Amino acid sequence: MPPGCRLTRTGEAAAPRLAPGRRAADLPGMALTTFATTTFAAARSRAHGPTAALWHAVEVHRLPAEVDGACELTLCGTLARVALDEPWPSSSREVCGTCTTLAGVTPA
């Protein structure tokens, strides 16, 4: 049995209880990490029945050459084809409202 353990009523070893430490949670010498800003690309979905094709936002984690023309999952969960020649937010009226909200874009 490890030192500091005691037996329970059933005879099993019980681990010692955790007590709050007296040290800070961060290790000495830790530095704050600065993260890059999130980059979004515009992607066009297909029209489905009465729903028009919309422009969506895709969060880009790879090189532009790898995602240009590829089908990617948008912020709202739709599959859409990335078009790097279209800026995000798109100047078109046919923009997904959910993607603009999730991307933090304020409507004009």
Side-chain angles (χ1 to χ4, degrees), residues 23-35:
R23 296 185 295 138
D26 295 330
L27 297 175
M30 285 183 78
L32 293 175
T33 304
T34 306
F35 294 102

Side-chain angles (χ1 to χ4, degrees), residues 41-47 51-58 68-69 74-76 78-101 103:
R44 185 78 165 174
S45 65
R46 300 173 99 189
T51 305
L54 296 175
W55 285 103
H56 296 269
V58 172
D68 192 21
T74 64
L75 294 181
C76 69
T78 303
L79 283 176
R81 190 167 304 276
V82 176
L84 294 179
D85 54 343
E86 180 73 24
W88 179 260
S90 176
S91 57
S92 171
R93 292 183 329 147
E94 300 167 339
V95 178
C96 173
T98 304
C99 283
T100 54
T101 302

Side-chain angles (χ1 to χ4, degrees), residues 5-6 15 18 24 32 37 47-48 57 61 69 71 80 86 93-95:
C5 288
R6 55 186 175 76
L18 295 176
L32 293 175
T37 58
H48 296 284
H61 297 284
C71 286
E86 180 73 24
R93 292 183 329 147
E94 300 167 339
V95 178

